[in-house]
């Protein structure tokens, strides 16, 4: 009896915790049973629904689940509960009524390792640090004023792509068509734009730097988001599954070294020059370093490195894949390409190249970009969100700690909200009052608090690049081949087969503008060397009024000069009669005068030939001019024929 009494406290100290544990578990179980959770397909133990997203690209696999189960579905991917949302009304609930509840990001491996322990804006939890970063983006980096002041550097990047395309010789003859791989070109352009915004000047050998960064971005995108199994089994991380953590650590090291070098270059330059380094244009690094000087506690080195890595990673791939998809769609739909060119010809004309300020006036081009983003959103599942409190979506209970995947790709193709959703019809954005009216049926940049802050920048870059390429070149599919539109896997939706196209010779626009640019630089150099004097520039250009292409180039050039130097006097020498009859009517000269003229022309043509032979590039707008230049300058390999539309008949003048 005494024994039994003494063992009672021991028994109760064992039983009470057991009872409490049981009570807590059964309470949780009944609570979850009572919950009205969203529908869910049949799942397997441990892996949950992971097998359902194993084969297709994730956005397509998730769209198939939604088609069978409805627009609000609860999945279990490994150990993570995931709310899958695939309709505009459901997305609207998440990003308006419950925007604060879903403003968090899940704690994933990739941002832990590559997002500076989740301290970059894209991955940091919703809170004061996120608000600080958002303010830096909104006020200092991507405000309208900041974008306006960096517009020049974007224009230069786009024009240097146009120039490079122009200078590449044709495949079989110098002026003929050329097969061009566009994926790399678009990537390089987007990278150059972001890099020019971030840092002062591209370093010597920056092509190698660009390539290093490209590999990092591509590998990061490939292991990010829902495609990475280790994100759903934290235990696998610890077991070193497929060496993911090791691979990420390698990526992190090489990326940090690259960005570290970039910041150090700026620090040195700032120390040397005592200011921005590049007068007049403050780059992101300059802005951040000067903020750091005034508040080193907030703007730490880690914050600056994270911000730079984020801009380069978030802005480059997304913009590049959108340009690539848009170009594919234009090649598949030549009538849309023609309509876009007609708009450019009508609004810009043939005498100059597109500027960023023209973009708002190019309504049809903007519709093309919106329609591209609808069918091929660069981030098809947005960036995952996570609920920080219980809420209801579509009438279902969603527990706190659930990851949210909004399938923008499926929402953009929902037949309940879009007419002929699989068709490429840019006009739909004109008829329906544009993207704004589409509301949350269109969310390529996300919505709510965590909406992409780079939308304005991205739209400018994509529009300027596409407009320039359409305006200046003729494009075609590869002969006898269809454009492959297979989508790949990754956080940003890549095209599996890089786009290859046929590029035809440039139009007059490019000829005029490039020629103006070259001539302008030469004359500007002369002028700046003779500052202080009242300067006049003379143009010797006989028969300027006779309908050839030359006068367009001349007037573009005179205009460019006068815009740049309004005080400059420009004198144009021309003659106002240029028919065979008018030339013949000049009458015979005396024999002596004819001989003198001949000597004069011989000497002049020799001088003209020697100067011309030093040219780096010659552009001729007709076969007649080309043969003339070939004969006198003798640089056929550097002379390019540029096609004008419509071609002009000069044969009568050659009689
Ligand atoms: C076509 C180009 C682009 C597309 C399609 C795109 C799309 C997106 C999407 C879908 C999100 C996630 C929104 C959400 O979670 O609901 C996002 C976030 C973000 N984007 Fe973009 N983006 C593009 C270009 C850019 C550019 C150029 C930058 C910066 C220079 C940028 C910086 C960011 C950042 C920092 C975030 C995280 C925002 C936050 O979590 O608060 N993006 N973007």
């Amino acid at each position: 009896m005494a024994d039994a009494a003494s063992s009672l406290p021991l028994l109760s100290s064992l039983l009470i915790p057991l009872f409490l544990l049981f009570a807590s578990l059964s309470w949780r179980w009944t609570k979850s049973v009572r919950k009205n959770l969203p529908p869910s397909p049949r799942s397997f133990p441990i892996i949950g629904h992971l097998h359902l997203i194993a084969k297709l690209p994730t956005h397509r696999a998730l769209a198939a689940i939604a088609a069978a189960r409805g627009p609000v579905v609860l999945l279990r991917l490994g150990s993570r509960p995931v709310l899958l949302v695939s309709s505009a009304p459901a997305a609207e609930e998440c990003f308006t009524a419950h925007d604060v509840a879903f403003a968090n990001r899940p704690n994933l491996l990739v941002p832990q390792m590559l997002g500076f322990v989740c301290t970059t804006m894209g991955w940091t939890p919703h809170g004061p640090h996120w608000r600080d970063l958002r303010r830096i983006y909104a006020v200092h980096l991507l405000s309208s004023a900041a974008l306006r002041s960096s517009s020049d550097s974007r224009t230069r990047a786009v024009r240097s792509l146009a120039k490079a395309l122009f200078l590449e010789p044709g495949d079989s003859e110098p002026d003929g068509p050329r097969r061009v791989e566009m994926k790399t070109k678009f990537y390089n352009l987007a990278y150059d734009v972001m890099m020019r915004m971030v840092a002062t000047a591209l370093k010597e050998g920056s092509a190698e730097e660009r390539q290093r960064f490209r590999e990092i971005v591509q590998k990061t995108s490939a292991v990010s988001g829902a495609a990475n199994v280790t994100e759903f089994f934290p235990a696998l991380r610890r077991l070193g599954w497929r060496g993911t953590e090791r691979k990420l650590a390698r990526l992190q090291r090489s990326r940090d070294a690259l960005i570290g070098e970039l910041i150090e270059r700026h620090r040195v330059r700032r120390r040397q020059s005592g200011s921005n380094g590049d007068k007049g244009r403050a780059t992101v690094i300059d802005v951040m370093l000067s903020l750091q000087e005034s508040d080193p506690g907030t703007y730490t080195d880690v914050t600056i490195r994270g911000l730079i890595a984020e801009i380069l990673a978030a802005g480059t791939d997304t913009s590049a894949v959108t340009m690539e998809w848009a170009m594919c769609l234009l090649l598949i739909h030549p009538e849309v390409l023609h309509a876009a060119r007609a708009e450019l010809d009508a609004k810009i004309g043939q005498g100059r190249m597109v500027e960023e300020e023209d973009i708002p006036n190019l309504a049809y081009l903007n519709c093309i970009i919106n329609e591209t983003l609808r069918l091929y959103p660069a981030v098809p599942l947005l960036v995952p969100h996570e609920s920080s409190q219980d809420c209801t979506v579509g009438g279902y209970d969603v527990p706190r700690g659930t990851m949210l995947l909004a399938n923008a790709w499926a929402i953009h193709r929902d037949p309940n909200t879009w007419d002929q959703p699989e068709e490429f019809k840019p006009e739909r954005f004109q008829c329906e009052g544009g993207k704004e009216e589409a509301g949350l049926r269109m969310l390529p940049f996300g919505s709510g608090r965590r909406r992409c802050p780079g939308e304005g920048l991205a739209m400018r870059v994509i529009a300027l690049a596409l407009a320039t390429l359409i305006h200046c070149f003729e494009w075609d599919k590869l002969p006898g081949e269809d454009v492959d539109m297979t989508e790949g896997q990754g956080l940003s939706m890549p095209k599996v087969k890089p786009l290859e196209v046929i590029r035809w010779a440039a139009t007059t626009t490019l000829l005029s503008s490039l020629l103006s640019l070259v001539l302008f630089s030469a004359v500007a150099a002369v002028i700046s060397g003779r500052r202080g004097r009242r300067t006049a520039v003379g143009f010797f250009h006989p028969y300027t009024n006779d309908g050839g292409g030359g006068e367009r180039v001349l007037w573009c050039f005179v205009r460019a000069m006068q815009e740049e130097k309004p005080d400059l006097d420009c004198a144009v020498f021309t003659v106002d009669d240029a028919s065979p009859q008018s030339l013949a009517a000049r009458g015979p000269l005396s024999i002596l005068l004819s001989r003198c003229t001949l000597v004069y022309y011989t000497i002049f043509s020799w001088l003209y030939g020697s100067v011309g032979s030093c040219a780096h590039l010659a552009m001729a707008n007709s076969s007649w001019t080309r043969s003339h230049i070939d004969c006198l300058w003798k640089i056929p390999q550097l002379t390019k024929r540029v096609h004008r539309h419509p071609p002009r008949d000069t044969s009568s003048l050659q009689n």
Side-chain angles (χ1 to χ4, degrees):
M1 192 64 188
D3 268 353
S6 68
S7 63
L8 205 62
L10 181 70
L11 210 64
S12 57
S13 70
L14 276 175
L15 281 177
I16 288 169
L18 269 177
F19 171 74
L20 286 177
L21 182 68
F22 175 73
S24 140
L25 283 177
S26 61
W27 181 79
R28 278 182 181 217
W29 181 77
T30 40
K31 191 170 169 237
S32 80
V33 164
R34 260 193 277 120
K35 273 196 161 152
N36 176 25
L37 295 175
S40 195
R42 250 164 32 108
S43 64
F44 286 111
I46 303 176
I47 62 165
H49 297 104
L50 269 176
H51 61 290
L52 296 177
I53 60 166
K55 285 205 187 101
L56 295 168
T58 313
H59 56 274
R60 279 190 181 266
L62 292 174
I65 296 174
R69 290 278 158 175
V72 180
V73 175
L74 187 66
L75 299 174
R76 192 166 53 76
L77 302 181
S79 57
R80 267 183 203 281
V82 174
L83 180 73
L84 171 64
V85 160
S86 314
S87 76
E92 192 159 355
E93 265 190 77
C94 296
F95 297 128
T96 52
H98 304 306
D99 193 35
V100 176
F102 281 114
N104 255 345
R105 298 283 190 211
N107 181 8
L108 300 174
L109 174 66
V110 173
Q112 272 290 338
M113 305 221 29
L114 294 179
F116 296 86
V117 203
C118 294
T119 57
T120 58
M121 185 165 94
W123 291 105
T124 199
H126 184 231
H129 180 60
W130 172 81
R131 266 189 287 278
D132 266 352
L133 292 171
R134 195 92 197 175
R135 191 178 44 77
I136 296 176
Y137 270 94
V139 176
H140 298 289
L141 310 182
L142 298 174
S143 64
S144 307
L147 287 181
R148 259 197 313 279
S149 84
S150 57
S151 116
D152 191 39
S153 76
R154 287 188 290 281
T155 307
R156 260 184 280 143
V158 171
R159 298 226 171 137
S160 77
L161 167 66
K163 192 171 148 203
L165 280 165
F166 175 73
L167 290 179
E168 285 175 354
D171 291 328
S172 47
E173 46 176 311
D175 307 324
R178 181 183 174 90
R179 185 179 175 136
V180 189
E181 193 267 277
M182 293 304 291
K183 191 187 189 88
T184 314
K185 298 235 181 296
F186 284 135
Y187 179 85
N188 291 349
L189 169 66
Y191 176 86
D192 285 352
V193 166
M194 298 303 148
M195 192 51 109
R196 279 168 202 251
M197 193 176 101
V198 163
T200 304
L202 297 176
K203 198 181 78 158
E204 289 294 309
S206 57
E208 183 242 313
E209 213 171 67
R210 184 162 61 191
Q211 186 52 31
R212 266 166 67 197
F213 199 81
R214 181 179 188 181
E215 280 165 20
I216 295 166
V217 172
Q218 281 176 337
K219 285 180 189 164
T220 309
S221 175
V223 294
S224 297
N228 181 2
V229 175
T230 47
E231 298 293 14
F232 306 111
F233 295 103
L236 287 181
R237 287 187 201 176
R238 278 172 234 125
L239 293 174
W241 173 258
R242 291 190 175 172
T244 309
E245 207 153 333
R246 242 183 313 114
K247 278 188 218 154
L248 286 171
R250 254 203 315 273
L251 277 176
Q252 181 198 24
R253 274 195 302 276
S254 44
R255 189 206 50 191
D256 290 359
L258 210 109
I259 291 169
E261 276 171 37
L262 217 58
I263 298 176
E264 223 22 67
R265 281 213 296 271
H266 272 252
R267 276 217 173 95
V268 169
R269 207 185 345 240
R270 284 172 71 80
R271 268 200 298 274
Q272 284 168 353
S273 67
S275 72
N276 279 346
D278 186 7
K279 289 176 202 84
R281 186 174 77 86
T283 63
V284 171
I285 301 186
D286 289 320
V287 171
M288 294 310 295
L289 289 178
S290 49
L291 287 172
Q292 189 180 50
E293 277 157 22
S294 53
D295 183 358
T298 309
Y299 306 104
T300 61
D301 267 11
V302 173
T303 308
I304 299 180
R305 267 191 273 150
L307 201 118
I308 290 163
E310 185 164 68
I311 292 178
L312 291 175
T316 307
D317 227 16
T318 46
S319 309
V321 295
T322 306
M323 290 188 267
E324 196 185 4
W325 287 119
M327 196 76 179
C328 294
L329 289 163
L330 290 174
L331 291 174
I332 296 173
H333 300 274
E335 72 289 354
V336 177
L337 181 58
H338 288 146
R341 181 167 297 126
E343 178 181 60
L344 285 159
D345 285 345
K347 299 263 170 73
I348 314 289
Q350 284 282 310
R352 66 177 178 93
M353 287 171 93
V354 188
E355 306 280 344
E356 240 182 50
E357 301 88 74
D358 297 318
I359 302 297
N361 299 327
L362 299 172
Y364 193 64
L365 181 84
N366 285 304
C367 291
I368 293 174
I369 298 171
N370 283 331
E371 183 67 343
T372 304
L373 284 165
R374 184 184 71 81
L375 284 170
Y376 295 91
V379 191
L381 295 172
L382 311 187
V383 178
H385 292 234
E386 188 176 272
S387 58
S388 56
Q389 60 200 60
D390 293 350
C391 55
T392 54
V393 176
Y396 300 111
D397 295 326
V398 178
R400 163 172 177 250
T402 304
M403 176 163 139
L404 168 69
L405 287 182
N407 193 345
W409 184 88
I411 294 171
H412 293 178
R413 291 173 183 238
D414 184 351
N416 296 317
T417 47
W418 292 99
D419 174 41
Q420 296 182 299
E422 301 296 324
E423 300 296 316
F424 177 65
K425 292 198 330 191
E427 315 71 61
R428 73 172 85 236
F429 286 98
Q430 275 173 334
C431 304
E432 293 171 19
K435 192 168 135 223
E436 284 65 39
E437 215 168 276
L440 285 208
R441 292 183 297 146
M442 250 318 257
L443 65 166
F445 294 96
S447 185
R449 278 172 175 67
R450 306 252 11 184
R451 186 189 176 100
C452 175
E455 176 175 353
L457 171 64
M459 290 300 280
R460 283 170 190 241
V461 176
I462 296 167
L464 184 65
L466 287 177
T468 304
L469 295 183
I470 297 170
H471 198 204
C472 294
F473 298 94
E474 308 271 343
W475 301 96
D476 230 329
K477 293 191 276 188
L478 297 187
E481 280 188 34
D482 282 337
V483 180
D484 185 316
M485 298 294 275
T486 316
E487 301 143 15
Q489 184 72 279
L491 190 64
S492 62
M493 187 169 74
K495 189 173 163 316
V496 169
K497 190 164 175 228
L499 171 66
E500 284 193 275
V501 292
I502 297 294
R503 181 234 64 194
W504 292 82
T507 60
T508 327
T509 310
L510 190 61
L511 167 71
S512 321
S513 305
L514 286 181
L515 209 54
S516 303
L517 218 69
V518 172
L519 287 172
F520 177 69
S521 317
V523 176
V526 173
I527 292 167
S528 67
R530 308 178 75 195
R531 267 207 192 102
R533 290 195 201 174
R534 173 124 184 117
T535 321
V537 177
F539 300 89
F540 177 77
H541 200 301
Y543 312 117
T544 318
N545 66 332
D546 218 55
E551 68 273 30
R552 192 188 293 283
V553 176
L554 174 71
W555 293 122
C556 280
F557 177 45
V558 172
R559 190 178 61 185
M561 293 279 304
Q562 290 186 331
E563 274 170 9
E564 185 70 15
K565 309 258 173 203
D567 293 338
L568 193 71
D569 294 332
C570 295
V572 180
F573 172 82
T574 181
V575 179
D576 61 1
D577 53 346
S579 61
Q581 293 76 16
S582 66
L583 289 172
R586 282 158 187 260
L589 298 166
S590 76
I591 296 189
L592 181 64
L593 214 52
S594 297
R595 293 236 165 98
C596 288
T597 311
L598 212 61
V599 172
Y600 164 75
Y601 275 123
T602 311
I603 296 170
F604 185 78
S605 80
W606 178 81
L607 279 173
Y608 177 57
S610 345
V611 173
S613 65
C614 303
H616 292 261
L617 168 71
M619 289 177 279
N621 59 359
S622 70
S623 49
W624 186 84
T625 312
R626 180 176 183 149
S627 57
H628 167 79
I629 293 284
D630 279 353
C631 163
L632 288 170
W633 293 13
K634 302 193 173 42
I635 49 166
Q637 71 286 2
L638 296 174
T639 307
K640 304 249 334 160
R641 163 89 197 278
V642 184
H643 296 275
R644 295 189 311 106
H645 303 285
R648 299 212 43 112
D649 178 14
T650 54
S651 54
S652 65
L653 282 173
Q654 295 176 41
N655 294 332

